[in-house]
Amino acid sequence: MKVGAHVSISGSRVSSDDETPPYDDIRNAVHRQVAFGGNCGQIFTTSPQVWAQPEISDEAAEGFRTETETQLEGPWVIHSAYLVNLCTPKEDLRRKSKASMQAELDAADKLGIPYVNVHLGAHTGAGVEQGLDNAASVIDELDVPDDVTILIESDAGSGTKLGGEFEHLSGIIDRTETDIGICIDTAHTLVAGNDLTTPEAVDETVQRFDDEVGLEYLEYIHLNDSKHDVGTHKDEHAHIGEGYIGEDGMKAIVNHPDLRDLPFALETPTEDGRGFEWNIEKVTELREE
C-alpha cells in the first residue's frame, strides 16, 4: 500500500549523524515521512502563502532523489502555492500563477517527482466556461517536463471556485492539449456533494467519476476525513475514520478495487494529541489484504 503524509521540508537538516551540521534541506521530507510511517507523500517546495521560487541546490536535489529511491516506495507530489489561480480573468494574477507553476514543474523535474498538484482556482465572476478556458490556456502555455504530470485537484466547491463538480474536471481535460491527471481529495469530494460514507455510496461515486471523468485520469488521492457533511462545501479535514466519512467509508475507499493501488497522501490535522503517524497507522489498519 502506498500511503504517506504532507510533510514539511523546513528547518535544519534532520540527521541521525551528530557530525552532520544542521542546515535547511529538502531531504528533511524523506526523513520525516519515514518517521511517520509513510512510504510516499506530498510537499510544498516553498511557503504556499507567498509568491516565492523554490531554491534547491544540486546537492540537496541529488540527495533527495537518492534517499527517496532507497527509503520510500514513492511517489512524491508537489502541491502548488495556494495563491495560484488558473481560472482567473485577471492578467497579473494569471502571469504570476503561470510563473509559479513553471517553477514548481522545474523543481519536480530536478527532484525526480512525477506530479505537481494544483487547484483550478476561482473564476471570480467570469463564469464556469470562461474559467475553464482560462485554466486550459495557462496549462497549455507551460513547459511541462517529460517525466512530470500536472494533477488537477478536486475542490470543495464554494463560491466561484471550480473543481467541485466532476464536470469541471472533465471540462479541463477536454479543453487542454496537455496530458494532465486528476487528484481526488476525499474530504473535498464529500462536501462538494458526493456521498462516501458507506461502501455502496463509494461504489456509486467512483462509478460516476468514471462515467463523467474517467478513472484512467485518476493518479493520486488526498485521503482526508471531513469535519463537515455531504454538500456543505466546508473544507475542514478530520482524523481518518472520525469525521463524516467515517470508518466504513474510509475502509471502502482504501480497499476499493479501482482505488487501492493508487498513492494516498494524508493532509489530516495535528490535534487531540494525534498527528500523521496516528492517521497513517489507522489507514493501514483499515486496509485488507
Side-chain angles (χ1 to χ4, degrees), residues 9-32:
I9 69 169
S10 64
S12 298
R13 168 69 168 150
V14 179
S15 175
S16 58
D17 181 0
D18 292 337
E19 297 181 359
T20 301
Y23 56 96
D24 291 344
D25 198 303
I26 198 165
R27 286 174 283 187
N28 289 336
V30 181
H31 179 95
R32 289 180 176 129

Side-chain angles (χ1 to χ4, degrees), residues 190 224-228 236-251 268-269 271-275 278-279 282-283 285-286:
L190 181 85
N224 302 302
D225 213 325
S226 173
K227 292 185 178 181
H228 304 280
E236 193 174 7
H237 299 172
H239 291 307
I240 298 297
E242 298 196 356
Y244 278 87
I245 295 177
E247 282 199 11
D248 288 347
M250 279 294 170
K251 186 174 183 179
T268 46
E271 60 187 17
D272 305 323
R274 292 170 291 179
W278 184 92
N279 281 279
K282 182 70 174 182
V283 172
E285 290 174 357
L286 294 175

Side-chain angles (χ1 to χ4, degrees), residues 152-265:
I152 304 299
E153 181 178 345
S154 63
D155 198 87
S158 60
T160 65
K161 291 181 179 178
L162 300 184
E165 299 180 21
F166 292 161
E167 183 180 354
H168 300 165
L169 303 179
S170 61
I172 190 65
I173 291 170
D174 291 342
R175 283 169 169 79
T176 181
E177 298 179 0
T178 305
D179 290 331
I180 62 175
I182 300 297
C183 172
I184 285 292
D185 183 304
T186 54
H188 296 172
T189 300
L190 181 85
V191 300
N194 306 282
D195 195 356
L196 294 170
T197 59
T198 67
E200 295 77 17
V202 170
D203 284 343
E204 181 180 341
T205 295
V206 171
Q207 184 59 59
R208 190 152 39 79
F209 177 90
D210 191 24
D211 292 341
E212 297 185 27
V213 184
L215 282 166
E216 65 271 22
Y217 292 102
L218 184 57
E219 301 272 1
Y220 223 108
I221 294 177
H222 285 171
L223 191 67
N224 302 302
D225 213 325
S226 173
K227 292 185 178 181
H228 304 280
D229 207 349
V230 181
T232 57
H233 303 291
K234 295 180 179 180
D235 182 11
E236 193 174 7
H237 299 172
H239 291 307
I240 298 297
E242 298 196 356
Y244 278 87
I245 295 177
E247 282 199 11
D248 288 347
M250 279 294 170
K251 186 174 183 179
I253 291 168
V254 301
N255 291 292
H256 193 283
D258 291 322
L259 308 179
R260 61 181 286 123
D261 293 332
L262 294 170
F264 298 93

Side-chain angles (χ1 to χ4, degrees), residues 21 33 41 59 86 90 116 120 143 145 202 223 272:
Q33 196 65 257
E59 177 189 2
L86 302 181
K90 301 176 182 178
V116 173
L120 284 173
D143 182 11
V202 170
L223 191 67
D272 305 323

